[in-house]
Amino acid sequence: MAARPAPEADRPSWAPSGRLLARAAALTAALTAVGALLGLVRDQLLAHTFGAGTGTDAFLVAWTVPEFAATLLIEDGMALVLVPAFAAALTRRATAPPAGPDPVRALVGATLPKAALGAGVAAGLLVLTAPLVVPLLAPGLPERQLAVDCTRLTATCLLSFALAGYCSAALRAHGRYLAPAAIYVAYNTGIITAVALLDPGVWGVRAAAAGVAAGGVLMVLIQAPVLWRRLRAPADRRRGGSGDRRPGAPGDPGGLADPGGPGDLGGPAEKRPGGLADPGGLADPGGPGDPSEPADRRPGRPGDRGGPGEPAVRAVLTVLAPVIVFAVSRQSQVLVERFLAAPLPAGAISHLNYAQKVAQLPMVLSLMLCTVSFPVVARALAAGDTETARRRAERDLLLAGVIVLVGAATVVAAAPQIVGLLFQRGAFDGADTAATAGVMRVYALGLLGQTLVGALVRCYFSASRPLWYPAAAMLGGIALTAAAGSAWAGPWGARGIAAANALGITLTAALLLLGLRRQSVPLDARRLATGLARLTAAAAVATAAGRWCAAGPPPLAVPLAFAAVTVAFTATACALRAPVVPDLIRSAHPFRRLAKARS
């Protein structure tokens, strides 16, 4: 499971080095941590300023729009479609004649204006129909007009998030990780600044909604100049000529954000016509989504999904539809939760929100590994190298499982202490802390499922094939969440809704594991399930140890619980012969690193 990367001499020319991936992961981890920290500061500021009452509930209903848009346009939908498309375009660029059209620029020219226009129209429609949308999202909400005002402010995120997601996908496919990793730093900075500067007595929670709109604009501004420079790069640099710096070249600083540096995944590559990642998709020359070909493209080309004369738009929608349905159904978890929580006592939506934001931090950190390696898997499939894609994907899944299980064990062990330390001040009192902590512990039970869904779906869509299985699995999970939530919300309140969420997402993860044979990356489902089961058993033991240590002095309870969870998890995982953990211990040993450096 913990296969070592291939030696540099055997590494394909398109593949980035292990050193580059480690640096990219470290950079993404650092900026993700900063963004998560600012997210906590944001939530602390919201809790301190507005508490957990009807006003905050109204804002959170409006916040459903950008949360939904983030999943569809940044985290899942846009990335799952565009990263493989740009990967195939970059591979095609390496073998295209120098005098011909640039496939990457052609892809941008054909997709970016349409994406911006569609998102802009959707934002305008939401502004006009906000009074009709709010009752659908949260029937019985006391502060309906306030929620409408906030929804109109956050509607701009449909456009800004679409542009931000497009830039992120394009830059990651090019091996540029700095700007995409910083988008949530910019987003949370915009919200914090607006809440701090706008008078709460005049604006109320509308200040937070205005901050959401400002944060979306900042996400675009920090990425657009970088992408513009990449697209405007000289032809000799883009095509691997004298201007293209390679790893180890004199004067190459190895910067991840340096055009043509070692982070550039667009180098020369071997590609078979009609290969795994080239089924006539978005970047296939002559395929349905190729912007450089007319709609009546050549008939009989391998990978064509339609007959002669079929419009390209129709074929592109065929590729997009499964991804859109998956992303929409996944984000529907939030819609179901807030719909079911609206009739509950005031503050239920707020308790669900605060608990979810904190509980999902381990999931966000674990998925950074898959975010960094997703373009690598896509390029491997574009080059027909399924073995590299399999090794990378299996190791990332298990590493993500280790991170999220340690985090989930800490959350369950010390939930009241974590919530009290983060939020209990100002308008957020002890009753809010107890309610939020109870919900957070239940949410944590579904964190492994959330991580597996986010990681596995990248394997399903890495070859840009229109697979409907992930969308069907997600719809099954949402149906279970809705049914269980409707039954449990009455007797158990917000905890019942959180339990339904955990149950539904776990079902989706199990279905995706069972369907691994249907995807392009040939993962071993049985071996993965066995490894994850052993890691989960280690996390159960670690939770008990962390809960015992969390009974210490309040200021030290959280770090003591985390230390106890880490030690107990590591020892139990090694005893159970769980994957990945022993290799992590060996690689982190100081004497081993010193010996390796000397050799």
Side-chain angles (χ1 to χ4, degrees):
M1 298 300 297
R4 296 180 180 178
E8 291 295 315
D10 300 330
R11 180 166 53 87
S13 57
W14 55 263
S17 66
R19 179 183 176 188
L20 168 69
L21 287 179
R23 290 174 56 209
L27 175 67
T28 303
L31 288 174
T32 299
V34 173
L37 179 61
L38 287 175
L40 285 177
V41 173
R42 173 204 67 202
D43 291 338
Q44 288 175 324
L45 184 60
L46 293 175
H48 179 272
T49 307
F50 307 114
T54 56
T56 308
D57 286 352
F59 163 69
L60 292 175
V61 169
W63 207 4
T64 303
V65 174
E67 286 180 326
F68 200 93
T71 298
L72 179 61
L73 302 175
I74 299 177
E75 298 165 9
D76 285 340
M78 193 78 77
L80 293 174
V81 170
L82 288 179
V83 169
F86 274 102
L90 287 166
T91 304
R92 182 184 162 216
R93 168 195 278 176
T95 57
D102 180 11
V104 176
R105 291 184 181 178
L107 178 62
V108 173
T111 55
L112 180 56
K114 295 176 183 177
L117 178 61
V121 171
L125 288 176
L126 182 57
V127 171
L128 295 175
T129 60
L132 302 177
V133 172
V134 168
L136 295 176
L137 295 177
L141 189 72
E143 295 283 354
R144 179 175 296 183
Q145 185 56 47
L146 180 59
V148 170
D149 295 342
C150 292
T151 299
R152 284 173 168 161
L153 287 169
T154 60
T156 58
C157 289
L158 292 178
L159 175 58
S160 60
F161 281 15
L163 296 176
Y166 192 99
C167 293
S168 294
L171 288 172
R172 285 184 174 127
H174 281 83
R176 308 296 101 181
Y177 295 100
L178 179 61
I183 58 175
Y184 287 108
V185 176
Y187 177 61
N188 289 321
T189 299
I191 300 175
I192 293 170
T193 303
V195 174
L197 294 182
L198 299 178
D199 186 1
V202 177
W203 284 74
V205 292
R206 295 178 185 86
V212 170
V217 174
L218 291 177
M219 294 170 80
V220 180
L221 293 179
I222 65 170
Q223 295 185 100
V226 183
L227 180 59
W228 178 256
R229 287 196 298 269
R230 290 297 304 168
L231 297 176
R232 297 275 297 176
D236 59 342
R237 177 175 293 180
R238 288 188 294 103
R239 301 185 184 277
S242 59
D244 188 10
R245 286 182 275 177
R246 299 295 178 199
D252 182 9
L256 289 171
D258 179 29
D264 186 5
L265 306 186
E270 302 257 333
K271 182 181 178 184
R272 300 190 304 268
L276 284 172
D278 190 21
L282 289 174
D284 180 21
D290 183 18
S292 63
E293 290 282 328
D296 54 344
R297 64 184 188 280
R298 300 184 304 273
R301 180 179 175 82
D304 283 351
R305 294 193 183 93
E310 180 188 10
V313 173
R314 180 178 176 184
V316 170
L317 290 178
T318 303
V319 178
L320 291 175
V323 179
I324 292 175
V325 172
F326 170 83
V328 169
S329 57
R330 185 180 184 188
Q331 188 57 27
S332 296
Q333 289 177 302
V334 177
L335 298 179
V336 171
E337 287 181 6
R338 292 178 181 169
F339 183 88
L340 295 175
L344 296 178
I349 295 178
S350 299
H351 297 149
L352 284 165
N353 173 75
Y354 291 128
Q356 186 184 61
K357 291 294 191 295
V358 178
Q360 287 189 350
L361 283 176
M363 180 200 72
V364 173
L365 294 175
S366 64
L367 285 178
M368 69 184 182
L369 298 169
C370 303
T371 299
V372 169
S373 63
F374 180 40
V376 180
V377 174
R379 290 301 302 275
L381 293 176
D385 189 354
T386 57
E387 180 61 21
T388 297
R390 181 194 64 80
R391 287 199 310 265
R392 185 76 257 172
E394 286 184 352
R395 182 167 178 81
D396 285 350
L397 277 167
L398 292 171
L399 284 173
V402 169
I403 295 172
V404 77
L405 286 172
V406 170
T410 305
V411 166
V412 174
Q417 293 82 1
I418 293 172
V419 176
L421 181 65
L422 294 176
F423 300 123
Q424 191 171 333
R425 58 185 62 87
F428 199 94
D429 56 21
D432 293 324
T433 295
T436 303
V439 174
M440 194 164 74
R441 277 177 166 157
V442 180
Y443 262 133
L445 301 179
L447 285 181
L448 179 60
Q450 295 277 9
T451 297
L452 291 179
V453 169
L456 287 170
V457 75
R458 286 165 167 79
C459 298
Y460 278 94
F461 291 124
S462 57
S464 69
R465 289 185 175 183
L467 297 179
W468 280 98
Y469 183 79
M474 193 69 242
L475 287 172
I478 287 297
L480 181 59
T481 298
S486 299
W488 297 344
W492 296 337
R495 296 188 188 190
I497 297 174
N501 181 300
L503 182 63
I505 199 65
T506 301
L507 172 65
T508 300
L511 291 175
L512 290 178
L513 274 174
L514 291 174
L516 283 176
R517 67 176 65 93
R518 299 168 59 91
Q519 62 178 317
S520 301
V521 185
L523 305 183
D524 189 330
R526 179 175 298 180
R527 184 166 54 177
L528 280 173
T530 302
L532 290 170
R534 293 177 180 177
L535 292 172
T536 302
V541 174
T543 301
R547 191 157 187 176
W548 181 75
C549 291
L556 298 177
V558 176
L560 283 175
F562 177 71
V565 164
T566 303
V567 172
F569 179 87
T570 303
T572 308
C574 291
L576 295 176
R577 303 179 68 179
V580 174
V581 176
D583 295 306
L584 290 175
I585 296 173
R586 285 192 294 269
S587 63
H589 196 285
F591 295 106
R592 180 180 177 88
R593 292 202 308 267
L594 180 61
K596 184 177 180 180
R598 288 179 176 175
S599 64

